[in-house]
Amino acid sequence: MAPAGLRERPFVKALLIAGAVGYVGLLLLLPLGAVLTEALKKGLDVWLAAISTPDARASIKLTLIVSAISVVLNTIFGIAAAWAIAKFDFPGKAPLIALIELPFSVSPVVSGLVFVLIFGAQGWLGPWLEAHDIHIIFALPGLVLATLFVTFPFVARQLIPLMTSQGRTDEEAALTLGASGWQTFWHVTLPNIRFALLYGVLLCNARAMGEFGAVSVVSGHIRGETNTMPLQVEALYNDYDFVAAFAVASLLTLLALVTLGLKTAIEWRHRDQLAAQH
Amino acid sequence: MPSRVRRSRLPGFGLSLGITILWLSLIVLIPISSVFVKSVSQGWGAFWAAAGSPRALAAYRLSFGAAAIAAAVNCVFGLLVAWVLVRYRFAGRRLLGALIDLPLALPTAVAGIALTAIYADTGPLGRLLEPLGLPIAYRPAGVVVALTFIGLPFVVRTVEPVLAEVSSEMEEAALTLGATRLQTFSKVILPTIAPTLATGFALAFARGAGEYGSVIFIAGNMPFKSEIAPLLIITQLEEYNYAGAAAIACVMLVISFAVLLLLNLLQHWQARRHG
């Protein structure tokens, strides 16, 4: 235990805790409460009706499709990138990692814009796509591309430091014992990284389902067709249909809370298997 | 420690690096380069006319200014929250810790409408603040509130691990030399964590400057007054002014990349300081 002079006096400590709890309560907890109370303002029946309209159901389905595709593709990419970067020595690793993390520092709106500039009606490939009747912008492929961009670094960035710290002795032992490359990956590497992988996938999925700015640019806002759940929230809100907007928003809030709960559970139980060991 | 001299005997190098570079190029690098190419496609004159128009300048000022204010607020309160989480044990500490990441998990549009509901003049806080002459919603103050919400985890999560590692020996030495607790904090602890705090500031600032979803509902979106830069990009796109949208995006990208570069230098400096 630290000597008395290294600790704050009890009332100072109580004051600091109260300040921190007050700040977080006011800034974070209050909006959380606002979503749930606004959504249930007119009762459970109205809430249920609001989330089961055809447009709301279509937006839920679209969100699930877009996030499923994006998460699977970026998980495959993340594992490949971490395998190359962590298990081999080659020049230019640091810039490569910086480029992988680049989407984190790009505005969501710009993340959507880039695909409009390429595939939009007046984009590079616009005329060619139109001539061949291929729809990317204002359609599912555009939503997937924008989501892929914003969720690009999540899995890779979780795995790279962990796999680098684990080194390659385990894999080399497996190979020496006669395992094939894939066997080594499935039976040695994957069990070593499973919690970090789960963690990365969880965060990737939360962002994919909740993304707003990037998909807003490429969606075209066609109700029942190209509106994901966050876009449906905006559409309902702009119609002054606040209860319905908050009802759909409450589903997304539930997703956020489940994500936070799982994330925290992994952090508590498997902290040692999550980050690079010092 | 893996051997650094011995070459890796593992298979799959070509395949995994190939996938990495191909996917990175297709999803990130080529799309981003399209912004730079498109922005100057109609000449430098047109580029500056779009990127440097009074309306665009007002939008940058709001986006970057509000992001800086919000990041500064979070440096103060984020440090307080990190301090409490690292140093004290109290009921609800774990819940508080888990809650910090809410802004990263909650979809930004949801945060946007929730904050608007709270700070509009009919909301629980707006109702209290409005009579005091402190209206928040539908003006630049609303942008600052939204960006403060978004930025908190960046500061707390950056400062936490470093604060946990500040050596108690240094604090003991300060105590032995007769420093008060406050002096120890301002002369020993604060200088040690200053670079980390700066990193947290830069992360929150970079995120806030590009933020869209949580802001547009509460901002008011009046050109020259409460219009953020990402919204102006969308407005340009809706008018089919692709080059103009790209020019503004280009300015935002260059500033974000400059912040990112500064951040890397800062982390490099930190790593050297900590040996």
Side-chain angles (χ1 to χ4, degrees):
Chain A
M1 205 58 211
L6 281 181
R7 278 177 277 138
E8 282 71 47
R9 286 189 207 123
F11 83 90
V12 176
K13 179 179 156 183
L15 209 65
L16 292 177
I17 292 175
V21 171
Y23 185 69
V24 172
L26 208 62
L27 192 67
L28 306 187
L29 214 50
L30 203 58
L32 201 59
V35 176
L36 301 178
T37 50
E38 292 286 327
L40 295 169
K41 212 174 183 172
K42 300 210 171 137
L44 207 58
D45 294 345
V46 179
W47 179 81
L48 264 176
I51 60 167
S52 39
T53 64
D55 284 357
R57 289 224 300 262
S59 76
I60 295 170
K61 194 176 154 202
L62 182 63
T63 295
L64 292 175
I65 294 171
V66 169
S67 60
I69 300 173
S70 311
V71 169
V72 167
L73 288 177
N74 273 340
T75 300
I76 295 170
F77 158 78
I79 293 172
W83 181 264
I85 291 170
K87 304 290 183 188
F88 298 91
D89 299 317
F90 58 95
K93 264 190 201 185
L96 184 60
I97 294 173
L99 287 178
I100 289 173
E101 293 193 353
L102 202 58
F104 275 152
S105 49
V106 174
S107 168
V109 167
V110 178
S111 311
L113 169 75
V114 295
F115 296 105
V116 176
L117 294 179
I118 297 176
F119 301 110
Q122 295 171 35
W124 289 344
L125 302 177
W128 187 87
L129 290 169
E130 204 174 336
H132 291 77
D133 201 29
I134 301 172
H135 301 282
I136 292 185
I137 299 303
F138 304 159
L140 181 68
L143 294 170
V144 171
L145 282 171
T147 306
L148 277 173
F149 185 103
V150 291
T151 58
F152 191 80
F154 279 94
V155 176
R157 155 181 117 122
Q158 206 61 47
L159 294 184
I160 291 169
L162 176 70
M163 284 169 69
T164 305
S165 83
Q166 286 173 343
R168 51 193 180 223
T169 29
D170 287 2
E171 283 84 359
E172 282 170 345
L175 289 171
T176 311
L177 293 172
S180 74
W182 284 113
Q183 283 174 326
T184 306
F185 175 77
W186 282 110
H187 299 294
V188 178
T189 311
L190 208 53
N192 277 342
I193 61 168
R194 62 183 192 273
F195 289 108
L197 184 62
L198 186 65
Y199 194 87
V201 167
L202 201 64
L203 297 184
C204 185
N205 180 62
R207 180 68 196 265
M209 288 190 171
E211 179 51 32
F212 178 70
V215 291
S216 177
V217 177
V218 296
S219 137
H221 305 276
I222 309 163
R223 292 185 195 200
E225 279 181 45
T226 62
N227 263 3
T228 61
M229 288 169 77
L231 296 174
Q232 184 66 16
V233 169
E234 184 197 26
L236 291 167
Y237 191 86
N238 289 343
D239 287 348
Y240 300 101
D241 192 352
F242 296 130
V243 173
F246 278 103
V248 178
S250 71
L251 290 181
L252 289 167
T253 306
L254 224 55
L255 162 79
L257 291 179
V258 170
T259 303
L260 274 189
L262 288 174
K263 172 179 171 297
T264 310
I266 299 174
E267 280 168 3
W268 289 351
R269 296 209 183 148
H270 308 286
R271 185 174 284 282
D272 51 327
Q273 295 170 62
L274 216 50
Q277 300 293 301
H278 292 292
Chain B
M1 268 308 276
S3 157
R4 285 281 164 220
V5 255
R6 208 157 40 86
R7 278 193 58 219
S8 181
R9 294 190 297 112
L10 303 185
F13 179 60
L15 179 68
S16 59
L17 191 66
I19 292 176
T20 304
I21 290 179
L22 180 74
W23 200 233
L24 181 68
S25 306
L26 284 178
I27 299 295
V28 178
L29 300 182
I30 296 172
I32 285 190
S33 65
S34 74
V35 170
F36 295 101
V37 175
K38 188 74 192 179
S39 65
V40 293
S41 62
Q42 286 167 14
W44 284 99
F47 174 86
W48 288 117
S53 73
R55 187 173 170 185
L57 293 180
Y60 306 138
R61 206 174 301 129
L62 177 61
S63 275
F64 290 104
I69 297 172
V73 170
N74 276 329
C75 273
V76 176
F77 287 98
L79 177 58
L80 171 67
V81 173
W83 177 276
V84 165
L85 283 175
V86 169
R87 300 265 166 144
Y88 304 143
R89 296 290 172 268
F90 55 94
R93 187 182 71 98
R94 284 186 149 185
L95 188 65
L96 184 71
L99 206 58
I100 299 300
D101 287 324
L102 180 73
L104 299 177
L106 193 70
T108 55
V110 177
I113 63 169
L115 290 170
T116 312
I118 292 169
Y119 289 97
D121 53 11
T122 51
L125 281 185
R127 209 166 22 205
L128 300 176
L129 293 169
E130 186 105 0
L132 301 176
L134 290 169
I136 304 281
Y138 314 123
R139 50 181 68 2
V143 181
V144 174
V145 167
L147 297 185
T148 309
F149 174 89
I150 288 296
L152 183 65
F154 293 95
V155 176
V156 176
R157 293 301 180 225
T158 310
V159 173
E160 251 184 322
V162 181
L163 203 55
E165 278 178 18
V166 173
S167 84
S168 56
E169 283 163 34
M170 273 193 338
E171 288 178 58
E172 276 168 37
L175 178 72
T176 315
L177 293 170
T180 65
R181 198 68 192 122
L182 202 60
Q183 283 172 329
T184 309
F185 176 77
S186 64
K187 302 249 164 85
V188 178
I189 300 174
L190 206 53
T192 316
I193 60 166
T196 318
L197 211 50
T199 305
F201 178 91
L203 287 171
F205 174 76
R207 171 66 201 263
E211 179 58 24
Y212 175 71
S214 61
V215 177
I216 52 155
F217 296 97
I218 200 174
N221 307 329
M222 294 283 290
F224 296 100
K225 284 203 186 109
S226 52
E227 181 181 56
I228 52 168
L231 179 65
L232 185 56
I233 294 177
I234 290 195
T235 313
Q236 299 295 312
L237 264 185
E238 281 169 356
E239 292 167 7
Y240 293 101
N241 182 4
Y242 282 22
I248 297 163
C250 188
V251 171
M252 297 206 57
L253 278 179
V254 167
I255 297 179
S256 312
F257 292 167
V259 172
L260 196 69
L261 192 70
L262 209 67
L263 203 66
N264 276 321
L265 291 174
L266 206 67
Q267 275 162 353
H268 185 69
W269 172 48
Q270 238 170 292
R272 272 184 36 192
R273 261 173 64 127
H274 288 281

